[in-house]
Amino acid sequence: MREDVAALVRLRLANAERHIQLDPAVYRLPDADVVRRHFEDVLSGGSDVLIFVAEVDGGIAGMAELVPLPDPPEHQIAVPRRAADVHTVVLDGYRGRGVGKALLREAERAASERGVSTIYAGILTLNQNAVRFYASAGFGPRGTMLRKELGKPAPD
């Protein structure tokens, strides 16, 4: 398990570095020890999160993380449905070889078996490779998420 956790930590940190290049105001490099504890907890069954790994040539080339989401509170207007976020990471040297597609298929299968009817992939628009990847797997727009940094004046 220790080698698997170390490989998952490397994947998470490599993914963070790639995302920081896209938008350092949104993404950060998490502390490796915190990431390690997260994956140890998940792999020991201490969480509802599911992890799927892709092994290529004896090493871990990618992972998908399926994170169940809570139902909306009864006072809100959204229809309750079992949903989850999916995060797919494939190391650069393995992209374009079907690794991500296989991981995503497995995450979808597991989600369906658990009664999840909707999975979301929160992708920054700047990450055109990820947008294309998920769109090719049948994901479509969920809406528009806007943000405003507090403490900064709105433009005129």
Side-chain angles (χ1 to χ4, degrees):
M1 180 166 115
R2 172 168 259 146
E3 290 175 12
D4 290 343
V5 169
L8 294 173
V9 170
R10 283 192 300 276
L11 278 167
R12 173 67 44 87
L13 297 180
N15 192 43
E17 289 171 358
R18 177 177 274 276
H19 281 76
I20 289 166
Q21 292 173 0
L22 291 170
D23 191 343
V26 173
Y27 298 105
R28 65 188 171 111
L29 186 66
D31 181 86
D33 287 334
V34 174
V35 174
R36 179 187 48 78
R37 286 193 299 272
H38 164 72
F39 286 124
E40 286 173 347
D41 184 49
V42 169
L43 294 178
S44 70
S47 157
D48 289 340
V49 173
L50 297 175
I51 301 286
F52 308 93
V53 297
E55 291 188 33
V56 178
D57 301 328
I60 294 180
M63 72 169 178
E65 191 171 16
L66 188 67
V67 182
L69 298 172
D71 286 342
E74 290 186 23
H75 63 83
Q76 291 190 353
I77 64 173
V79 174
R81 62 178 44 114
R82 291 193 50 125
D85 281 337
V86 66
H87 310 281
T88 309
V89 181
V90 176
L91 291 175
D92 285 340
Y94 299 97
R95 291 174 179 233
R97 296 171 55 181
V99 172
K101 288 180 184 180
L103 285 165
L104 190 52
R105 275 194 308 270
E106 184 62 20
E108 289 176 0
R109 183 199 57 75
S112 182
E113 285 179 357
R114 286 162 178 76
V116 171
S117 62
T118 305
I119 55 175
Y120 299 107
I123 307 301
L124 187 67
T125 306
L126 292 173
N127 192 346
Q128 288 298 302
N129 289 334
V131 171
R132 279 190 297 275
F133 168 74
Y134 284 104
S136 73
F139 284 70
R142 177 182 180 192
T144 300
M145 183 178 288
L146 304 174
R147 81 174 191 209
K148 177 182 179 182
E149 299 290 331
L150 298 180
K152 296 181 180 181
D156 292 331

